[in-house]
Amino acid sequence: MDNFSPDASLPSSFPSSEPLAYEETPIIEPATPVSPSLQPAPPVPPKTPRAETRQSLPILPIVLLVVIFILGVWLSSFLRQFFPGGLFGIPSKQQTQATLTPIITISPNPYANWKTYSVISGTSRKAVDGVSFKLPPEVSELFCDGVNCASQGTYLPGGTRFTIAVRGAGQILADYRGKIVTDFGGRPFVTTPMTVSARPGVGFVGDFTGSTVTGYTFTKMRGAMISVTDTLSLEVNHFTSSGIPADFAADDALFSKILDSFVFVGLPTSSLAPSLSPTTTPTATSSGS
């Protein structure tokens, strides 16, 4: 310290001494608080086309649906002319009705469970070719009336007796054509023209007590003489036997149905006209086989 001298020279690296300059910092006044009521309102954004579009959006789907529906109806009617069977294989209403109509109108076979029988010749004891008829299942099998089997018979459900016989050339019983239709005793029946399965014939009715060729006594009879060919005819009848109660009316309706079941196949139609009673021909045929 004693060696320090104020006049001693300073190192050359030390800056020269100059007076210091000072800069005054300005005084910052605190900001005056602004009342919320005096603050400006935020700017309102202007309306844009997007906002108007949102208001009209609910109408657009409805319009589109209506347009699509109209186009669908038009397209369906247009394409239908090229697809008569219906689009996608679905039949139209008219086709469905046309398909069902034949099924509805088809009636059941009235002889579905009936049994078919042949007509037996009394001389040959064989079936006559080309002639058949049907009987209901509740009716018993036919059997010969008498030893010579001139006719075959059975009983219908109501109790009347049903008989059938072949008449004509080479048969036990004579052809009815040209003769009066009578019972075995010669009493004539009331006759009317008729056809059985397109074959000409004569229907006969007797409401009296009479007898048959095979010995049956009847109180009421209805039958038919049928012309099969020029040399062959059939006699078919049913009658109430004396002393045996029977429902003739019920069996008579069934008898009509039996007549309708006759079938003639491969036989020429007779050209001979059946004769009606009364007639001037004296020969009588014995009805009631």
Side-chain angles (χ1 to χ4, degrees):
M1 290 296 292
D2 292 341
N3 295 328
F4 178 77
S5 173
D7 293 331
S9 56
L10 295 172
S12 59
S13 61
F14 192 88
S16 61
S17 60
E18 293 180 358
L20 298 175
Y22 298 92
E23 183 178 356
E24 294 182 359
T25 303
I27 300 174
I28 300 174
E29 297 293 338
T32 303
V34 181
S35 176
S37 60
L38 298 179
Q39 292 182 358
V44 178
K47 292 184 178 180
T48 61
R50 183 185 181 92
E52 294 179 358
T53 304
R54 289 179 179 174
Q55 294 178 358
S56 60
L57 278 178
I59 301 176
L60 183 59
I62 298 176
V63 174
L64 289 175
L65 287 176
V66 172
V67 172
I68 292 173
F69 176 76
I70 295 174
L71 287 175
V73 173
W74 174 84
L75 184 61
S76 175
S77 60
F78 175 75
L79 293 177
R80 193 170 295 160
Q81 59 184 324
F82 302 104
F83 298 92
L87 295 175
F88 309 109
I90 302 175
S92 61
K93 181 178 180 181
Q94 292 80 0
Q95 286 182 318
T96 303
Q97 292 175 346
T99 303
L100 293 178
T101 299
I103 299 176
I104 296 174
T105 57
I106 291 177
S107 57
N109 182 5
Y111 302 101
N113 59 343
W114 287 35
K115 186 175 180 180
T116 301
Y117 290 86
S118 299
V119 181
I120 304 300
S121 168
T123 53
S124 67
R125 303 293 178 94
K126 295 180 180 180
V128 177
D129 293 336
V131 182
S132 65
F133 65 99
K134 296 179 182 294
L135 290 176
E138 61 269 23
V139 175
S140 302
E141 298 283 336
L142 295 163
F143 57 89
C144 290
D145 292 324
V147 178
N148 59 8
C149 202
S151 64
Q152 301 86 49
T154 185
Y155 286 93
L156 299 181
T160 63
R161 181 161 182 79
F162 171 85
T163 62
I164 183 170
V166 181
R167 291 177 172 272
Q171 304 299 324
I172 297 175
L173 299 177
D175 198 329
Y176 79 97
R177 284 167 287 195
K179 303 176 177 63
I180 301 172
V181 181
T182 71
D183 73 330
F184 186 65
R187 189 168 182 176
F189 292 92
V190 177
T191 56
T192 55
M194 67 177 301
T195 59
V196 176
S197 297
R199 302 281 168 158
V202 171
F204 60 91
V205 177
D207 194 1
F208 56 83
T209 300
S211 59
T212 71
V213 173
T214 52
Y216 287 95
T217 302
F218 64 86
T219 57
K220 190 171 186 176
M221 177 184 288
R222 178 196 167 203
M225 297 287 191
I226 308 169
S227 300
V228 180
T229 66
D230 287 345
T231 59
L232 189 68
S233 62
L234 293 178
E235 177 184 352
V236 189
N237 62 55
H238 82 109
F239 57 86
T240 302
S241 300
S242 296
I244 300 177
D247 188 345
F248 188 89
D251 282 352
D252 199 49
L254 180 60
F255 180 74
S256 296
K257 192 172 180 180
I258 294 172
L259 289 179
D260 291 339
S261 73
F262 272 83
V263 175
F264 303 95
V265 179
L267 297 172
T269 304
S270 174
S271 60
L272 300 178
S275 51
L276 302 176
S277 302
T279 177
T280 55
T281 304
T283 306
T285 185
S286 299
S287 180
S289 305

